[in-house]
């Protein structure tokens, strides 16, 4: 489908239909919102004009109310602003539903990116087909749902959205009308901050409704196409899970919440199995299967509705009985309904008794504290030198003994130390009840030295685990630019360490390394973050190949390009021969969960896109994907310029003050979305190092400045031109898909920016020059990116995405005006306590809507 046709389809299927149903929505008689639907279009137009005229938010709001004599009292004005927010929140949901309902028609998807195109390629090419089958035998995609919820509607709203999408697909006007009424009356906000278990419940909705049918469906599609035997040890699509296990900087995650989440995942999974089994039971009513059906009925029902606190691994029993039913059907009943049995059997082999692997994550500093506690408490038994802390890295590695002990923490242990030791023991019981894959990874954040991993390994051996049955993968997480530079040296030391080498051999010589994107963006800026990770992957791959290690990269990517998101599948498709790409693992978080995996259609498409990227990068590498030395030097040159420009901005004493003064940063801790604090070391004064990347990026996106997604790129391109390197840069853009994707994602960040919104700041005595500096870099980057890509407008080659972003930005503009108006009112400091609370609530309510509409803003 050509670009103009795609845009025309989007206009008719999404824009026109949204306007139609939005006009219906505006007239619905909700409680206390009699006039809001009528006034909202006028308010939106007024906001647009005010921003175009570069008015400040306070002037825009005051001039609007000046037109309506019934809004003289402050209380009436505030009431209307809250009702406008309520309407816009629901407009966002309506637009999401309309867009998702039209997903198959809009042609947003690049048809070449689907698995069917791979199948067609291999139809008449036996050599390519056998190459692909070989690849499928050693390839996997793991999607890890993380505990960074920036868009979690409550369950009732998610259910409405799902039903609304289906009604829109069939133009069921009666049901659409009813669902819009239900949407208008259903609360969006949570009164209390969610616990880690609450977060798990929210995410489990997506596991149950979307990933359960889609992951097994794709597995079935590929097995059928290539006649691959079902193998429970080789799963193409795997699921991972962080809520309840990710304790890095989150004091609310405890060993109890980890246990509760493991049990929750199991119970939700068995409910899925039970629903499928009931269909099976309605059809398979023949002789010879009764006893097997009775066993399954009992196992599925009890685990769904009467779950045990200490369950057993039921998978072998379930698989055995399903196979027996299949045997009876094949031998005595002409194979009738055997496909239903195969479907459930495949799901049980895929998800076992655990649904998604529960990852445990903790910061390296806590691991060191825990190791130090046991060394001191059990000094005589462990017999590690007293001067351990003073030893250099080699000395520390040599001092570790890797002896098996069973050491329990005493009452003097700190809460974090006790939790670390308790969760190490809990992992063992989770594996016993769900199988090894139920919890098999421990991720160490802020991993800086090899002994960070080795100390953790020793903690397991000191907690009752046996060396020969240590079924755990130790995963270092490298995040900052400096950590990424050290990563290869750290892994080199691990691969040559005798005990770790032996452990790795028992784990099939497979090593997972996690690379975090968000903190490297905050640390080094957009271009340097991308390049640092790419360089680290090349170096880590070389070291792994040197020691014959099967390297798996686990990418910590957020929703927006500033946190590694954007067109993620294109990054994986562009990995050259120097980068291990046999397995794709990435975090799915924030709005990305619902925008890309919120419905069966979008989830199916996005999973196939990632699979396609991994498979085609293996079978049809492009020449430009493996970068030449000259091209690496060119990117390094531009990354350094961009990095320097970003550091100038970051080290400006106004940097954090600006963010605190004009953005809703301090209010992020008040929104009841996430269980984790906005920053690490919550009791300390705010420092950039402690500020979580998600809060950092969200704050810039609420300002519509998106600094982490583009800043420094324009300066780097301009300098390249001045230094006579422009033709080389153009050649790089035309030949390297990796560099193209970096630039395209940068365009996406910039398309969601609107410096007109904050243009009033340029007149501020303190921050005016600082704002101009950022605005100038935005304009410089726009100019040079358009020149490089040969485009007239940003995202010219993605007209559907561009139109979608433009409409979303139009919907939420009034929210941004209200938000910045409320921030300014609070800054004046003349409000009583009650009014302060009201304006604070206005700000927190607008944050939800802006983030939700952006779909990948945080």
């Amino acid at each position: 489908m050509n670009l103009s046709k795609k845009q025309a389809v989007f206009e008719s299927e999404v824009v026109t239909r949204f306007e139609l149903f939005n006009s219906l929505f505006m007239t619905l008689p909700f409680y206390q919102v009699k006039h809001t639907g009528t006034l909202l279009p006028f308010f939106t137009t007024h906001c647009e004009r005010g921003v175009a005229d570069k008015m400040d938010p306070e002037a825009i709001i005051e001039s609007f109310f000046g037109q309506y004599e019934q809004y003289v009292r402050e209380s009436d004005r505030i009431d209307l602003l809250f009702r406008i927010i309520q309407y816009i929140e629901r407009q966002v949901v309506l637009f999401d539903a309309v867009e998702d309902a039209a997903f198959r028609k809009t042609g947003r998807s690049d048809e070449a990116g689907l698995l069917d195109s791979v199948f067609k390629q291999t139809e008449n090419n036996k050599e390519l087909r056998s190459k692909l089958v070989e690849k499928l035998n050693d390839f996997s995609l793991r999607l890890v749902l993380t505990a960074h919820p920036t868009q979690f509607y409550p369950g009732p709203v998610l259910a409405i959205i799902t039903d609304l999408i289906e009604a829109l697909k069939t133009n069921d006007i009666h049901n659409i009308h009813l669902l819009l009424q239900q949407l208008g009356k259903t609360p969006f906000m949570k009164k209390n901050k969610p616990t880690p278990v609450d977060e798990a419940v929210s995410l489990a909705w997506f596991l149950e409704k979307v990933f359960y049918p889609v992951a097994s469906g794709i597995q079935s599609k590929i097995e059928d196409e290539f006649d691959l035997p079902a193998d429970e040890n080789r799963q193409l699509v795997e699921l991972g899970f962080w809520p309840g296990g990710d304790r890095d900087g989150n004091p609310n995650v405890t060993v109890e919440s980890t246990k509760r989440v493991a049990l929750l995942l199991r119970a939700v999974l068995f409910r899925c199995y039970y629903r499928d089994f009931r269909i099976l039971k309605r059809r398979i009513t023949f002789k010879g299967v009764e006893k097997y059906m009775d066993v399954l009925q009992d196992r599925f029902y009890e685990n769904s509705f009467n779950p045990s606190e200490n369950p057993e691994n039921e998978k072998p029993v379930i698989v055995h009985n399903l196979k027996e039913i299949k045997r009876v059907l094949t031998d005595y009943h002409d194979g009738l309904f055997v496909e239903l049995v195969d479907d459930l059997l495949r799901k049980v082999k895929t998800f076992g008794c655990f649904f998604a692997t529960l990852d445990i994550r903790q910061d390296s500093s806590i691991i060191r504290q825990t190791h130090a506690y046991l060394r001191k408490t059990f000094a005589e038994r462990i017999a590690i030198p007293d001067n351990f802390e003073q030893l250099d890295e080699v000395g520390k590695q040599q001092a570790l003994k890797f002896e098996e002990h069973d050491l329990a923490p005493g009452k003097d242990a700190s809460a974090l130390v006790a939790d670390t030791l308790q969760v190490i023991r809990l992992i063992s019981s989770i594996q016993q009840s769900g199988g090894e894959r139920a919890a098999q990874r421990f991720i160490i954040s802020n991993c800086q030295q090899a002994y960070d991993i080795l100390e953790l390994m020793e903690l397991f051996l000191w907690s009752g685990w046996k060396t020969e049955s240590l079924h755990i993968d130790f995963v270092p997480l490298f995040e900052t630019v400096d950590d990424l530079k050290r990563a290869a040296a750290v892994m080199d030391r691990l691969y040559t360490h005798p005990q770790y080498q032996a452990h790795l051999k028992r784990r099939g010589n497979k090593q997972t390394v996690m690379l975090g994107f968000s903190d490297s963006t905050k640390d080094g800026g957009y271009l340097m973050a991308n390049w640092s990770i790419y360089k680290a992957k090349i170096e880590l791959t070389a070291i792994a190949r040197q020691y014959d290690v099967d390297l798996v990269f686990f990418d910590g990517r957020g929703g927006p390009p500033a946190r590694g998101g954007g067109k993620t599948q294109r990054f994986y498709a562009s990995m050259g021969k120097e980068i291990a790409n046999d397995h794709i693992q990435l975090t799915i978080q924030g709005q990305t969960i619902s925008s890309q995996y919120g419905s069966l259609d979008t989830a199916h498409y996005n999973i196939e896109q990632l699979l396609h990227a991994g498979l085609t990068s293996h079978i049809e590498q492009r020449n430009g994907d493996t970068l030449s030395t000259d091209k690496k030097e060119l990117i390094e040159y531009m990354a350094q310029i961009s990095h320097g420009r970003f550091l100038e901005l970051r080290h400006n004493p106004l940097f954090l003050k600006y963010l605190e003064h004009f953005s809703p940063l301090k209010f992020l801790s008040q929104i009841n979305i996430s269980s984790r604090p906005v920053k690490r070391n919550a009791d300390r004064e705010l420092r950039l190092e402690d500020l979580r990347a998600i809060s950092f990026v969200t704050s810039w996106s609420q300002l519509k400045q998106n600094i982490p997604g583009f800043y420094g790129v324009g300066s780097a391109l301009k300098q390249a031109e001045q230094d006579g390197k422009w033709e080389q840069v153009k050649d790089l853009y035309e030949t390297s898909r990796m560099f193209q994707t970096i630039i395209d994602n940068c365009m996406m960040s910039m398309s969601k920016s609107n410096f007109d919104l904050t243009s009033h700041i340029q007149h501020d005595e303190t921050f005016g020059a600082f704002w101009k500096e950022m605005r100038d870099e935005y304009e410089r980057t726009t100019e040079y990116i358009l020149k490089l890509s040969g485009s007239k407008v940003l995202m010219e080659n993605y007209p559907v995405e561009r139109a979608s972003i433009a409409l979303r930005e139009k919907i939420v503009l009034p929210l941004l005006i209200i938000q910045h108006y409320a921030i300014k009112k609070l800054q004046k400091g003349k409000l009583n306590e009650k009014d302060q609370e009201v304006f604070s609530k206005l700000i927190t309510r607008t944050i939800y809507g802006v983030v939700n509409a952006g779909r990948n803003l945080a």
Side-chain angles (χ1 to χ4, degrees):
M1 197 186 294
N2 63 42
L3 297 184
S4 57
K5 191 173 179 184
K6 280 185 178 183
Q7 196 162 4
V9 173
F10 184 79
E11 285 287 333
S12 63
E13 291 293 334
V14 178
V15 179
T16 303
R17 296 183 80 218
F18 169 69
E19 289 171 353
L20 174 69
F21 292 118
N22 187 42
S23 61
L24 169 67
F25 185 59
M26 293 291 217
T27 60
L28 292 176
F30 301 135
Y31 175 65
Q32 279 192 338
V33 289
K34 199 161 44 179
H35 304 297
T36 313
T38 313
L39 283 176
L40 181 54
F42 297 105
F43 184 70
T44 299
T45 304
H46 188 81
C47 289
E48 288 170 354
R49 285 177 184 157
V51 169
D53 293 340
K54 298 181 170 48
M55 293 168 63
D56 77 62
E58 194 172 15
I60 293 173
I61 297 282
E62 296 294 341
S63 61
F64 174 77
F65 283 125
Q67 300 172 13
Y68 298 94
E69 58 184 26
Q70 69 267 43
Y71 292 106
V72 175
R73 289 190 309 174
E74 180 80 356
S75 59
D76 289 336
R77 294 181 171 193
I78 295 295
D79 184 51
L80 179 65
L81 293 179
F82 271 116
R83 288 190 268 124
I84 284 172
I85 292 169
Q86 287 178 304
Y87 250 108
I88 294 174
E89 284 168 344
R90 286 154 179 80
Q91 276 186 312
V92 169
V93 169
L94 175 60
F95 186 76
D96 284 349
V98 171
E99 197 169 45
D100 287 347
F103 186 78
R104 291 190 178 186
K105 297 179 183 177
T106 54
R108 290 184 74 173
S109 54
D110 174 7
E111 296 306 322
L114 298 173
L115 288 177
D116 288 337
S117 67
V118 182
F119 299 162
K120 284 175 187 172
Q121 277 180 277
T122 64
E123 274 177 4
N124 302 312
N125 189 331
K126 287 185 179 178
E127 186 182 339
L128 187 62
R129 194 172 181 84
S130 62
K131 191 176 181 182
L132 194 60
V133 169
E134 184 185 345
K135 173 71 173 175
L136 284 166
N137 283 321
D138 188 35
F139 176 73
S140 63
L141 166 66
R142 180 179 295 212
L143 302 174
V144 181
L145 308 187
T146 76
H148 297 299
T150 49
Q151 181 208 33
F152 276 160
Y153 294 119
V157 175
L158 285 172
I160 294 169
I161 294 170
T162 303
D163 294 342
L164 188 56
I165 290 170
E166 292 309 309
L168 286 163
K169 280 182 181 178
T170 56
N171 280 322
D172 185 345
I173 302 297
H174 175 69
N175 254 334
I176 292 169
H177 191 261
L178 288 174
L179 288 164
L180 289 177
Q181 289 187 67
Q182 184 186 357
L183 185 68
K185 293 173 178 289
T186 302
F188 274 40
M189 300 298 110
K190 299 168 182 172
K191 289 186 178 178
N192 301 312
K193 211 168 183 65
T195 66
V197 178
D198 293 332
E199 290 176 339
V201 170
S202 295
L203 276 180
W205 188 93
F206 293 96
L207 285 178
E208 181 179 1
K209 304 294 183 186
V210 179
F211 288 101
Y212 178 74
V214 171
S216 58
I218 290 175
Q219 183 90 24
S220 169
K221 181 177 180 177
I222 289 177
E223 284 175 6
D224 292 347
E225 173 69 26
F226 294 102
D227 253 347
L228 297 173
D231 181 354
E232 57 201 87
N233 297 316
R234 188 198 66 238
Q235 295 306 322
L236 198 60
V237 182
E238 303 171 343
L239 300 175
F241 206 76
W242 273 23
D246 178 17
R247 46 219 342 111
D248 171 33
N250 189 351
N252 301 307
V253 176
T254 64
V255 71
E256 183 58 29
S257 55
T258 305
K259 184 178 181 181
R260 296 259 69 81
V261 170
L263 292 172
L264 167 77
L265 290 174
R266 181 189 175 97
V268 171
L269 174 63
F270 270 90
R271 286 205 297 271
C272 292
Y273 287 158
Y274 185 63
R275 279 197 294 270
D276 281 354
F277 175 73
R278 288 178 66 185
I279 295 169
L280 200 74
K281 196 175 177 184
R282 284 171 72 91
R283 294 290 165 266
I284 301 175
T285 51
F286 318 135
K287 284 186 177 180
V289 299
E290 299 89 350
K291 64 179 180 180
Y292 308 121
M293 296 291 273
D294 287 346
V295 170
L296 292 174
Q297 165 75 31
D298 179 62
R299 298 299 165 104
F300 288 142
Y301 184 87
E302 289 301 315
N303 280 280
S304 296
F305 304 107
N306 299 308
S308 165
E309 281 288 307
N310 298 292
E312 297 177 7
N313 186 0
E314 305 274 15
K315 182 180 173 182
V317 175
I318 295 170
V319 168
H320 168 75
N321 281 276
L322 284 171
K323 284 182 174 177
E324 285 300 295
I325 292 170
K326 184 177 177 180
R327 178 186 59 79
V328 172
L329 293 181
T330 305
D331 291 351
Y332 302 106
H333 302 289
D334 303 317
L336 198 56
F337 300 126
V338 77
E339 69 281 357
L340 293 178
V341 183
D342 277 336
D343 179 58
L344 185 51
L345 193 54
R346 184 180 292 106
K347 286 170 177 168
V348 173
K349 287 180 175 180
T350 301
F351 303 117
C353 292
F354 61 93
F355 215 162
T357 300
L358 185 58
D359 286 347
I360 309 298
R361 182 171 75 138
Q362 185 54 282
D363 190 81
S364 59
S365 61
I366 308 302
I367 303 302
R368 290 184 208 129
Q369 284 178 36
T370 308
H371 197 267
Y373 169 80
L374 289 183
R375 284 199 317 268
K376 183 180 176 183
T377 307
F378 300 97
E380 291 184 12
R381 288 175 66 181
I382 292 174
I384 285 180
D386 292 339
N387 67 338
F388 181 84
E389 295 292 353
Q390 284 71 52
L391 297 175
D392 61 15
E393 168 137 27
V394 174
K396 284 180 177 174
Q397 289 182 34
Q398 291 172 346
L400 300 174
K401 297 185 176 181
F402 300 95
E403 295 173 348
E404 294 173 1
H405 292 287
D406 196 350
L407 312 176
K411 291 183 179 177
D412 60 331
S414 71
L416 285 171
V417 165
D419 176 77
T420 303
L421 294 171
Q422 287 165 0
V423 83
I424 285 173
R425 292 176 183 272
L426 177 64
I427 292 170
S428 178
S429 64
I430 291 174
Q431 286 192 355
Q432 286 171 18
S433 63
E436 181 187 316
R437 285 166 58 212
Q440 63 178 154
R441 308 202 303 187
F442 202 119
I443 300 160
I444 304 183
S445 299
N446 199 26
C447 185
Q448 297 176 338
Q449 305 290 351
Y451 65 79
D452 286 335
I453 294 281
L454 298 172
E455 282 188 354
L456 177 61
M457 183 173 159
E458 194 163 62
L459 287 179
F460 271 79
L461 296 176
W462 289 351
S463 302
W465 287 75
K466 302 299 179 187
T467 304
E468 294 300 318
S469 56
L470 187 55
H471 304 307
I472 295 292
D473 297 322
F474 299 104
V475 181
L477 167 52
F478 304 107
E479 295 178 273
T480 66
V481 171
D482 285 342
D483 286 350
L484 290 165
K485 286 177 184 173
R486 283 195 296 266
V490 170
M491 297 314 298
D492 191 19
R493 292 188 196 106
L494 282 173
Y495 294 149
T496 54
H497 190 278
Q499 278 84 1
Y500 193 78
Q501 209 174 43
H503 172 73
L504 210 54
K505 193 173 181 182
R506 286 189 292 273
R507 300 298 295 157
N509 250 23
K510 182 180 279 190
Q511 173 67 52
T512 302
V513 172
M514 186 173 182
L515 302 176
F517 194 103
S518 302
D519 279 308
S520 51
T521 311
K522 188 182 78 172
D523 187 42
Y526 178 72
L527 192 54
M528 179 57 88
N530 277 283
W531 180 234
S532 296
I533 287 176
Y534 196 84
K535 276 196 303 183
K537 283 192 171 186
I538 291 173
E539 291 164 4
L540 287 164
T541 301
I543 293 289
R545 286 172 179 170
Q546 183 182 331
Y547 296 107
D548 198 27
V549 170
D550 183 10
L551 181 62
V552 180
F553 285 120
F554 175 24
D555 292 308
R557 294 179 176 272
R563 294 185 50 237
K567 298 184 179 301
T568 310
Q569 75 282 357
R570 286 180 54 195
F571 273 116
Y572 292 112
S574 68
M575 296 294 101
K577 294 174 183 174
E578 295 178 293
I579 293 178
N581 202 29
D582 289 334
H583 308 278
I584 292 176
Q585 297 193 5
L586 70 157
T587 53
I588 307 293
Q589 55 188 258
Q591 315 89 311
T592 313
I593 295 173
S594 55
S595 65
Q596 295 189 2
Y597 302 92
S599 70
L600 297 177
D601 288 345
T602 56
H604 201 107
Y605 169 72
N606 282 295
I607 291 174
E608 283 206 12
Q609 279 267 290
L610 287 166
L611 289 171
H612 178 270
L615 294 173
T616 54
S617 72
H618 175 74
I619 62 175
E620 53 174 22
Q621 290 242 335
R622 295 188 190 177
N623 291 333
D625 289 342
T626 301
L627 297 172
S628 66
T629 304
D630 288 348
K631 286 178 178 173
K632 287 178 187 173
E633 288 174 357
L634 180 60
I635 300 179
E636 176 70 35
Y637 156 85
M638 289 191 290
Q640 290 295 345
I641 295 168
S642 174
H643 186 219
R645 193 87 177 89
F646 181 78
L647 288 184
E648 280 176 29
L649 186 77
R650 191 185 137 162
H651 290 151
N652 189 315
L654 294 178
F655 185 72
L656 205 51
K657 289 178 183 175
Y658 177 90
L659 207 54
E660 283 189 281
H661 191 75
F662 292 107
S663 86
L665 174 61
K666 63 183 73 169
F667 296 94
L668 292 177
S669 60
Q670 298 172 24
I671 59 176
N672 294 324
I673 294 180
S674 173
S675 71
R676 62 182 44 222
V678 167
K679 65 188 183 77
R680 295 174 174 89
N681 302 310
D683 54 347
R684 195 161 68 188
E685 183 185 350
L686 180 63
R687 301 185 313 164
L688 190 58
E689 306 90 83
D690 293 334
L691 186 61
R692 289 190 174 279
I694 193 167
S695 310
F696 179 70
V697 173
T698 300
S699 298
W700 285 112
S701 71
Q702 297 279 322
L703 280 167
K704 288 298 162 191
Q705 292 182 216
N706 289 331
I707 293 299
F710 75 85
Y711 200 85
V713 174
S715 290
L717 292 173
K718 183 178 181 179
Q719 190 65 49
E721 183 184 51
Q722 290 175 348
D723 291 349
K725 298 177 186 286
W726 188 250
E727 289 306 314
Q728 293 169 253
V729 176
K730 279 180 69 177
D731 179 62
L732 176 68
Y733 179 76
E734 287 162 8
T735 56
S736 167
R737 287 189 292 175
M738 179 273 290
F739 188 65
Q740 277 175 17
T741 306
I742 288 174
I743 297 299
D744 286 354
N745 280 344
C746 183
M747 284 197 215
M748 184 189 291
S749 277
M750 297 174 75
S751 295
K752 296 181 180 183
S753 299
N754 183 356
F755 274 78
D756 284 349
L757 182 71
T758 51
S759 60
H760 60 280
I761 299 172
Q762 65 187 303
H763 306 298
D764 188 281
E765 283 186 23
T766 306
F767 297 101
F770 184 73
W771 179 90
K772 286 177 187 173
E773 189 180 339
M774 292 186 287
R775 191 270 320 273
D776 290 349
E777 181 63 19
Y778 172 82
E779 291 180 348
R780 189 180 300 118
T781 306
T782 302
E783 177 191 347
Y784 276 89
I785 277 184
L786 292 179
K787 185 176 180 180
L788 179 63
S789 62
S791 305
K792 293 184 179 65
V793 292
L794 294 172
M795 296 185 72
E796 185 176 332
N797 293 329
Y798 303 98
V800 171
E801 284 91 337
R802 182 161 49 87
S804 175
I805 288 170
L807 194 43
R808 289 174 180 280
E809 294 299 316
K810 180 183 172 73
I811 292 169
V812 298
L813 182 63
L815 294 184
L816 293 162
I817 297 298
I818 293 170
Q819 180 187 108
H820 295 174
Y821 162 71
I823 289 173
K824 198 161 185 181
K825 285 289 237 183
L826 285 171
Q827 282 169 357
K828 288 186 174 179
K830 297 176 182 176
L831 302 173
N832 59 39
E833 193 175 329
K834 185 182 177 185
D835 286 343
Q836 283 180 13
E837 189 179 325
V838 167
F839 280 101
S840 295
K841 191 176 178 184
L842 267 179
I843 294 166
T844 57
R845 285 293 298 274
T846 59
I847 293 171
Y848 281 99
V850 176
V851 168
N852 288 344
R855 284 206 152 183
N856 70 348
L857 277 182

